[in-house]
Amino acid sequence: MTNRQRIACWILTLVAWHPTGICYADDGVFAEVVRPVFQQSCVKCHGRDGKVKGKVDLLEIGGTADLVSDLERLETIIDVLDEHEMPPEKEPELKPGVREQLVLELRKLLHAGATAEKGYAPTPIRRMNRFQYNNAVVDLLKLKVVVFPLPEKMMRDRSGYFRPETGKMPGRLVVSSRQLGKSALIEPRLAGVGPFPQDLRAEHGFDNRGDHLTLSPMLMEAFFKLSRRIVQSSNFDKRTVGIWQEFFVPPAEKEKIESEVRERLRVFLGRAFRQPVEKGLLESYVGYVMGQLKSGKEFPGAMKEAVSAVLASPQFLYLYDKPSEGNEAELLNGYELASRLSFFLWGSIPDDKLLELAGSGKLVEPEVLVEQVRRMLLDRKLKRFCDSFPAQWLQLERIISSLPDETIYRDFYYAPPNYRTSMDMMMEPLLLFETVLIENRSILEFIDSDYAYRTPRLRKWYGEPTKERLGGPVTLNFKRQPVSDKRHGGVITNAAVMTMTSGPDETKPITRGAWIAGVIFNDPPEPPPADVPPLEPQEEGAENLTIRERFAAHRERADCAGCHAKLDPLGFAFENFDPVGRWREKYENGRQVDASGTLFRRHRFSNVVEFKQAILEEKDRFTRAFAEHLLSFALGREITPADSPALDELVAQTISDDYRIRTLIEGVVQSAPFVSRSSGISRKTSSSGESKSAITEKQ
């Protein structure tokens, strides 16, 4: 049975499932495995004598039906058990093997409940974000320039190094940054065309999230004006527009002009709207162009008017899936699949090959779909994926606003007026990501790699000897080099991450811990209570305290203890890195740095090298988290419990192929949530009204 047939059969079986139909066969498991643990270790704080911490009353759960009736609550219970957050540290630990068996049985129920939901959370209808709009216009018109400047592109290729078709990154390359570097090298663009406001990254998400990309009347008007400025640009002509000859040049036979206009528009509209254009709509555009010609407008001008109308059309601007006709999920058709695939990997409209396969019905065939994914991964338009996903996943926009104290870290600022070492820092993790992707390496190298790309300035920053010119601020020369020092390698101890999670003059362990929790484990903490004061500056007589000792007051607060217990080990593991990412053994007061802790109450570590090893001991957990980030980006929505079975399958596939990134990407594209059209169901809201972080915080 092919993958698509398996998914189709799975969708058909959804009709026969319902949570109440799941439970009775498994109530024996509930009575023998689940209830005894709840009664012995949980209800003391979650239901007994009216005590309900975290708004989770486990005494309300009388059987399997109650468990699967609220999948978010069930998923939260699984997570806090699996991560050893429950029972709390002060309570007796579960007997060996009990926790593992309980998590296993609860996961089975979660999968059954997810199946019973008959589909997935819908992705709201959404417009293209600014990055996607630029790419789509460039591809539609085959522009040889960009439409407008894109500051969200954090790293620009200045040496032509990005060649995924070779399967290899070069040993040396040159890059630049618009945000942090000198703007002497600006990409050629359409004259007089300015961008609309940048779409910001969703909190703990991405800038392509459907629930963030709305279209107000003012923005709709801005799109209309933008479409006019594009075609009216002084350099919108045969020098910059790749389709000029085939679309804008008047046909040789004037008596056939209407039929020629119709054919040109049929092809153009099909590409712009990502599917064959309906006859009535096509004739409307043909009539509009012919009316322009009859009024005396030149042929190129009339066709420009049509292009302007297309670029402001909802059919072009909006990304959406048609809802399924019934209450069950359905498989996407070829054109919907082509759009979802192209906006995932290329951040743009499908190319002619994808549309051709969609029209023939072949794209939905699993073998053809995988073949196209592999083709797209070798295309240079893959740079757009690298310009979008990794920087947002790593939250690297934070390094742009990081300003260490100039009086303490003078060498951080190396050229007037304000050029900073953060430019070099920011590129290092991005180049590592591109290397893993182009060379199809293991995603575990994001945790620890034995190589890195560094500039002479970065080598000096990390304490390595260098005689080369430090470079900047216009372009940066990076060289691939081996990394034998286990304190470095990967993304988590990169100087950019260490700097952007610090304050101007001291580290912020909680911020660093929250970054690890959200980025590496996809388990971001809740915001702190509104009345929690910031860490007080050192008072007179307290100069000899370490940051860990100064945090003691926060940990003593009942409403803070839960988060501190979770985040402190993650953040203090990096205390040997100062606020600008350089190594230190002692604080300025002479006290020894203490970076010890325990990860998930299981893996003890005494330094950051052992901490990285502890994360690798939990490599499957990281793989699951990274898969969630990737699937969320691909779908343009949050991950919900209904996606859990597909994610488990993705993780298993990736593990079986040595954690290679392309195996994970291919798995995402073939997964049931990716190839399915939503039934329009919404996520089940937890009856507790509380997230896992809020629940554990109150223990």
Side-chain angles (χ1 to χ4, degrees):
M1 181 180 291
T2 67
N3 184 60
R4 190 170 179 85
Q5 288 172 329
R6 185 172 69 252
I7 294 171
C9 290
W10 178 86
I11 290 175
L12 288 173
T13 61
L14 295 178
V15 185
W17 285 85
H18 189 273
T20 57
I22 299 169
C23 56
Y24 300 118
D26 293 323
D27 267 343
V29 171
F30 181 84
E32 295 172 11
V33 179
V34 180
R35 180 183 285 137
V37 176
F38 282 2
Q39 291 290 337
Q40 179 180 342
S41 303
C42 305
V43 297
K44 174 184 175 182
C45 297
H46 295 283
R48 184 175 294 163
D49 299 327
K51 188 177 183 180
V52 182
K53 288 191 174 183
K55 298 182 181 179
V56 174
D57 187 350
L58 296 181
L59 290 180
E60 292 179 347
I61 302 176
T64 308
D66 295 330
L67 268 176
V68 299
S69 67
D70 188 339
L71 295 186
E72 287 201 353
R73 179 182 61 189
L74 176 55
E75 190 171 52
T76 295
I77 293 171
I78 293 171
D79 287 345
V80 297
L81 286 167
D82 190 37
E83 295 179 11
H84 289 242
E85 294 181 11
M86 290 288 124
E89 200 165 3
K90 296 180 181 179
E91 297 295 326
E93 178 60 270
L94 297 179
K95 294 180 180 179
V98 171
R99 184 186 301 272
E100 290 73 15
Q101 183 185 9
L102 180 60
V103 169
L104 176 63
E105 296 299 338
L106 290 177
R107 283 199 188 281
K108 290 179 181 178
L109 291 176
L110 178 64
H111 284 200
T115 302
E117 278 210 329
K118 301 183 180 181
Y120 304 99
T123 298
I125 182 172
R126 65 200 187 279
R127 60 170 173 81
M128 297 182 198
N129 62 29
R130 187 169 76 173
F131 183 71
Q132 293 168 337
Y133 182 88
N134 174 84
N135 296 337
V137 173
V138 167
D139 290 346
L140 179 63
L141 298 168
K142 298 182 181 178
L143 295 181
K144 301 170 186 176
V145 297
V146 298
V147 180
F148 39 61
L150 287 170
E152 49 264 53
K153 290 175 61 176
M154 304 186 79
M155 181 173 68
R156 296 165 189 263
D157 180 0
R158 296 303 181 190
S159 59
Y161 75 85
F162 192 85
R163 299 179 180 180
E165 70 276 12
T166 66
K168 186 70 177 176
M169 284 279 281
R172 293 178 180 269
L173 51 88
V174 181
V175 296
S176 68
S177 169
R178 181 178 176 84
Q179 298 98 323
L180 294 172
K182 191 173 182 180
S183 300
L185 295 173
I186 299 177
E187 292 173 299
R189 62 183 187 271
L190 292 177
V193 180
F196 56 93
Q198 181 177 350
D199 298 293
L200 301 179
R201 177 178 61 83
E203 186 178 17
H204 313 307
F206 301 93
D207 65 2
N208 65 348
R209 277 265 295 273
D211 53 354
H212 284 57
L213 294 171
T214 56
L215 189 59
S216 66
M218 290 183 63
L219 189 55
M220 186 70 239
E221 183 179 358
F223 272 116
F224 173 74
K225 292 179 179 178
L226 175 60
S227 71
R228 303 293 301 160
R229 289 196 299 269
I230 288 173
V231 298
Q232 293 171 358
S233 173
S234 60
N235 63 335
F236 186 89
D237 52 33
K238 62 182 180 181
R239 296 169 299 171
T240 59
V241 181
I243 66 168
W244 188 268
Q245 185 67 32
E246 64 193 70
F247 191 79
F248 292 99
V249 172
E253 301 180 49
K254 293 186 178 181
E255 62 275 8
K256 296 183 179 180
I257 192 168
E258 183 171 346
S259 61
E260 182 66 22
V261 166
R262 181 175 290 105
E263 178 58 22
R264 293 186 187 188
L265 285 173
R266 183 190 65 79
V267 175
F268 184 79
L269 294 175
R271 295 186 67 231
F273 300 158
R274 285 89 73 186
Q275 60 185 345
V277 61
E278 295 179 357
K279 184 177 180 180
L281 184 59
L282 173 60
E283 292 305 319
S284 295
Y285 276 93
V286 172
Y288 179 65
V289 171
M290 296 308 297
Q292 293 287 312
L293 292 173
K294 289 177 182 178
S295 69
K297 189 176 284 288
E298 295 291 330
F299 187 86
M303 297 301 275
K304 284 183 180 181
E305 292 295 322
V307 170
S308 176
V310 168
L311 298 185
S313 166
Q315 289 99 324
F316 177 71
L317 291 175
Y318 278 108
L319 305 174
Y320 61 94
D321 304 321
K322 296 177 182 177
S324 60
E325 296 181 0
N327 294 324
E328 295 81 43
E330 297 174 353
L331 295 175
L332 297 174
N333 66 39
Y335 292 109
E336 293 167 330
L337 187 56
S339 282
R340 184 170 286 187
L341 179 58
S342 64
F343 276 96
F344 170 35
L345 293 179
W346 288 347
S348 183
I349 59 176
D351 66 359
D352 291 339
K353 183 65 175 178
L354 286 175
L355 291 176
E356 176 190 340
L357 291 170
S360 68
K362 292 182 178 180
L363 185 60
V364 298
E365 298 174 6
E367 298 80 6
V368 176
L369 180 59
V370 171
E371 181 183 277
Q372 288 307 300
V373 173
R374 292 173 180 173
R375 175 180 72 89
M376 296 173 73
L377 289 171
L378 298 179
D379 192 287
R380 295 188 188 182
K381 283 191 285 188
L382 185 66
K383 187 69 169 72
R384 297 166 177 176
F385 175 74
C386 296
D387 286 337
S388 184
F389 174 77
Q392 294 187 72
W393 166 51
L394 297 171
Q395 303 175 8
L396 284 177
E397 78 280 353
R398 296 163 63 175
I399 190 64
I400 297 171
S401 57
S402 296
L403 298 172
D405 191 312
E406 289 188 56
T407 61
I408 303 175
Y409 306 105
R410 291 183 180 179
D411 57 342
F412 188 83
Y413 302 85
Y414 64 84
N418 196 28
Y419 294 115
R420 313 190 290 276
T421 305
S422 48
M423 179 176 170
D424 303 61
M425 295 174 175
M426 180 179 69
M427 308 298 192
E428 185 182 356
L430 294 177
L431 288 170
L432 176 65
F433 183 91
E434 291 185 351
T435 304
V436 170
L437 180 60
I438 287 179
E439 298 183 0
N440 194 22
R441 303 174 74 95
S442 167
I443 61 173
L444 300 183
E445 292 185 359
F446 296 141
I447 306 301
D448 188 31
S449 63
D450 60 2
Y451 65 93
Y453 278 91
R454 289 179 181 163
T455 59
R457 186 178 304 281
L458 270 183
R459 287 195 286 276
K460 181 181 178 182
W461 199 258
Y462 288 131
E464 301 173 17
T466 181
K467 296 181 180 180
E468 299 178 69
R469 180 178 174 273
L470 298 186
V474 178
T475 58
L476 300 177
N477 294 280
F478 276 84
K479 178 183 177 182
R480 186 169 178 166
Q481 66 179 64
V483 173
S484 57
D485 186 344
K486 287 297 183 180
R487 296 175 300 178
H488 301 289
V491 300
I492 63 175
T493 57
N494 165 259
V497 174
M498 296 296 96
T499 302
M500 73 188 194
T501 54
S502 296
D505 58 0
E506 65 180 3
T507 58
K508 292 185 175 181
I510 293 300
T511 303
R512 288 177 171 180
W515 185 90
I516 286 286
V519 172
I520 300 303
F521 295 118
N522 197 25
D523 185 19
E526 292 290 311
D531 61 341
V532 175
L535 187 64
E536 295 291 338
Q538 289 195 28
E539 299 177 359
E540 187 176 351
E543 296 86 355
N544 201 40
L545 295 178
T546 65
I547 291 183
R548 189 186 288 262
E549 291 167 343
R550 290 167 60 199
F551 263 104
H554 279 259
R555 288 194 295 271
E556 290 172 1
R557 287 183 54 131
D559 54 351
C560 297
C563 272
H564 274 285
K566 173 182 176 180
L567 299 180
D568 282 5
L570 304 180
F572 280 110
F574 301 103
E575 266 302 279
N576 282 111
F577 292 101
D578 72 5
V580 290
R582 289 190 287 206
W583 188 261
R584 62 186 178 184
E585 296 287 348
K586 297 180 179 181
Y587 293 107
E588 290 184 2
N589 60 14
R591 296 285 301 278
Q592 196 77 21
V593 171
D594 178 9
S596 63
T598 305
L599 180 64
F600 299 133
R601 291 167 58 181
R602 280 189 287 180
H603 309 288
R604 293 187 178 276
F605 57 87
S606 58
N607 53 53
V608 74
V609 175
E610 293 178 6
F611 177 66
K612 289 170 70 174
Q613 187 57 44
I615 294 178
L616 290 175
E617 290 290 327
E618 296 284 342
K619 55 183 177 293
D620 294 352
R621 190 188 303 276
F622 164 68
T623 302
R624 168 70 178 237
F626 185 72
E628 289 173 349
H629 285 302
L630 197 60
L631 184 61
S632 175
F633 180 80
L635 297 175
R637 64 165 173 82
E638 288 185 285
I639 297 300
T640 71
D643 302 310
S644 186
L647 282 162
D648 286 346
E649 186 174 350
L650 278 176
V651 171
Q653 292 172 353
T654 306
I655 293 171
S656 68
D657 194 26
D658 296 327
Y659 300 87
R660 295 186 186 278
I661 191 170
R662 291 191 184 178
T663 300
L664 179 55
I665 291 174
E666 290 177 14
V668 165
V669 172
Q670 296 180 86
S671 68
F674 191 89
V675 302
S676 300
R677 180 188 296 118
S678 170
S679 61
I681 64 164
S682 60
R683 61 189 298 179
K684 288 190 176 181
T685 303
S686 173
S687 60
S688 70
E690 298 262 350
S691 68
K692 181 183 72 171
S693 298
I695 292 170
T696 56
E697 181 181 310
K698 296 182 179 180
Q699 302 308 308

